[in-house]
Every structure is written in C-alpha cells, then in structure tokens.
Amino acid sequence: MIPISKPSIGQEEKDAVMSVLESGMLAQGKQTGQFEQRFAELCGVRQAIATSSGTTALHIALLAHDIGPGDEVITTPFTFIASVNSILYAGARPVFIDIDEATFNMNPELLEQAVTSRTKAILPVHLYGQVCEMDSLQQIADKYDLTIIEDACQAVGATYKNKKAGSFGTGAFSLYATKNITSAEGGMITTNDDAIADRCRLLRNHGMRNRYQYEQLGYNYRMTDIQAAIGLAQLGRFDELTDRRRHNATFFNERIDTVITPQEQIDCDHVWHQYTVRVNGRLNRDEVNTSLNEAGIGTGIFYPNPAYRYDHIRQVVGGLHLPVVERLSQEVLCLPVHPLLSEEDLATIVDAVNSL
Ligand SMILES: *Cc1c(COP(=O)(O)O)cnc(C)c1O
C-alpha cells in the first residue's frame, strides 16, 4: 500500500533526539529556543513561539488577542475540526462563510456580509498548503478593525505575493506527524507583534513571568526539547522536502485527466500538504476511493463534512446550509503527495487514476 502520508525521518532527526536524551535536558529549553528562531526566519516574522500542538497554538493565539465570550470569529467550515474547536475553547462564536471552488479556501467575496458589530477576528485556513487570497481579507480586516489569525497548520513555507503564510496576522502552525514538517506533535505561533508574542509565551506556561510569579491564568502548552530537536532537523531539510512535494504535484497535474486536478493560484506558491482532486460527473467519489484503495493507493477524504454538521458545533451556530462546501465535501479526494513517494509510486498513482 502506498500510504497517504508518511513522515520523512532521517539520520539527522535520530542523532538530534539522541543528543537531547543524552544531555538530560528534556523539557522546553535551548533546542526549543533555537527552533523558534529558525522557524521565525523561515516565515519572515520577528517572533515564533513553540507550543505542544497546532490546536494549542490556535487557542493561545486567540486568547493573546483577547478574543472570548461575546466575540464572533469568521472562518471556513471546510477545515480540520481544531480550527473551530479553538474558537470554542476561547468562548467565542464561529461564524462560517462558504468556500471558493477553485481554491477550497474561504470565499473572500462572502466575507464582508458576515461582519457584525460583534466580529473580532477572521480566521482563514490556508487549506491543503495554499494561502488564502489575503489582499481581500486584509482590506476587510482594515476596514472593520479585525484581527487576522491564520490557521497555517497545513501551509508552512507557502506564499501569497511572495509573503509567507503566518506573516499576514498572527499565524498558527502544526508540527503533527503528517504535516509538511514535523516534531511528532507540536505547534508554532508566528507574529511581528512583540506584545502578542509576550502574551503567548505567558499563556503557554501557566501565565508565569518569573518563577512562581503568575500574571494571569495560563496553560501548560509547552514543547519539549526532544520535539524541538526533531523539528530543527526537519527545518534543515525544508527545501528538499517541499521541492519533492512540488515535483510530485506537478507530475500529477501534467498527467491526470479523469478527475479535476487542483490549481495553483497565480499569486501563490503552494506547498502541497495535500493533493486534492475533485471527482464528479460520471464518477462517484466514494467508489473511486474504494477502487484506488483496492489498487494499493492510500487516500484521504479531507474533509467529509462541513464543520457545522457536527453536533457540538451545530448547537452553537444552528442549522446552516452553505452550498459550495456541501458539494465539494462530496467530491474531494486526496492522493498521496508526500516526499517519500518514488517515481514508480507516482506512475502507479497516475495509471490507477487515469484508468478510472
Ligand atoms: C493539523 C491541523 C490543525 C491542528 O493541529 P494539531 O497539531 O493536530 O493540533 C489545525 N488546523 C488545521 C487546518 C490542521 O490541518
């Protein structure tokens, strides 16, 4: 079976973990600090703050901007549940707008009509590794004085008009095992605002400024130095890993002709966290999914339902129907695009998809 995702772990990662284990300094420390610095450089921002996961990065980012009960956060229903759960953790209310069928991202044309007097933030998700159309988002954010919290969990290194994901507002990244670079579990917040960075560092560690001096309620959302060491080794291979994803996506785009292939937008450098085709017309997505699995090709359906369909979210936002996300969630199918695919794997995938 060709897996839908697989972390690329080499000797660098193994050596890095061993040296942390041998140092005896396992918790958040020097390695984490270095990882933050290197990650900030990659994203072109002043500060990065490492956390225990992408979910906790999102949670802290929202809290650092004082988003809480009574506030509305406009986001997309076509995302991993953590984007929405983090808004609920903060006590705020998610407001969903429909997506654009060309990008799978939130449709900026629907943004302004969703703004109310309670709107505090926009939480765009750069889905599958492609940044949202940020000019339009930024214009609305400026007009109504809204914060932008980017869910860049799938988009490390992606750009829009040569600006990196995570540098448009406050960014949240995931370093989960299946993401483009990993620390097994882990997250990162990026910002150019030193005051926000300071609040994130406090929130990450029980609100503690100096030892046993607690300035506010906080959490234990720290990263360990074992994770940071893996992350640092992965950052050192960032170009190699990302170029390989680009190569794989280009290979598919030039050859697949039975389903709708994903398009890189003109202003975007896509980092291909997922390679997502649309299956419609004479083909049925679920049948195609089964037949590819039978041909030994792992697939993913990201995501089978709009987030507002889940009970705990429906209880907050009520019954909603957004036509594009409802249609696309029935059509999308993700093919393996990860860096460990061989040329033979790529050919196998193309042959199987083109003989559907
Ligand atoms: C992976 C992911 C998250 C959450 O990250 P974790 O590290 O798993 O907590 C949030 N949003 C999106 C879009 C993701 O893909």
Side-chain angles (χ1 to χ4, degrees), residues 21-197:
L21 290 176
E22 280 160 10
S23 78
M25 307 291 280
L26 308 185
Q28 179 186 295
K30 262 198 193 130
Q31 295 287 319
T32 306
Q34 265 182 41
F35 186 28
E36 291 177 334
Q37 202 175 335
R38 295 279 312 284
F39 200 93
E41 283 163 17
L42 177 78
C43 298
V45 295
R46 287 174 56 81
Q47 300 239 28
I49 302 95
T51 63
S52 53
S53 71
T55 307
T56 56
L58 281 165
H59 184 196
I60 287 185
L62 288 159
L63 295 179
H65 283 279
D66 277 325
I67 291 159
D71 297 331
E72 293 177 355
V73 179
I74 302 173
T75 192
T76 168
F78 202 43
T79 185
F80 181 55
I81 201 72
S83 316
V84 184
N85 283 350
S86 64
I87 298 169
L88 298 175
Y89 298 160
R93 184 187 178 84
V95 172
F96 295 107
I97 61 173
D98 210 350
I99 59 172
D100 171 17
E101 92 171 33
T103 63
F104 305 101
N105 284 330
M106 92 173 15
N107 184 343
E109 286 175 15
L110 302 173
L111 185 57
E112 188 161 16
Q113 66 202 59
V115 175
T116 73
S117 59
R118 291 170 177 262
T119 309
K120 190 91 180 261
I122 309 170
L123 195 150
V125 179
H126 306 317
L127 200 70
Y128 305 143
Q130 180 157 252
V131 179
C132 294
E133 203 213 293
M134 292 309 293
D135 278 353
S136 309
L137 266 67
Q138 207 114 47
Q139 209 185 324
I140 304 290
D142 290 346
K143 182 168 171 187
Y144 295 96
D145 195 22
L146 308 176
T147 299
I148 295 179
I149 311 262
E150 300 169 67
D151 181 337
C153 286
Q154 303 187 356
V156 60
T159 67
Y160 171 83
K161 297 192 171 169
N162 294 318
K163 244 174 89 88
K164 291 273 167 66
S167 71
F168 296 90
T170 298
F173 292 84
S174 170
L175 298 152
Y176 182 66
T178 59
K179 295 298 193 323
N180 284 26
I181 59 168
T182 183
S183 60
E185 291 266 14
M188 202 65 89
I189 302 162
T190 52
T191 179
N192 284 312
D193 183 331
D194 292 344
I196 292 292

Side-chain angles (χ1 to χ4, degrees), residues 84 148 198 261 293:
V84 184
I148 295 179
D198 181 65
T261 53
N293 294 165

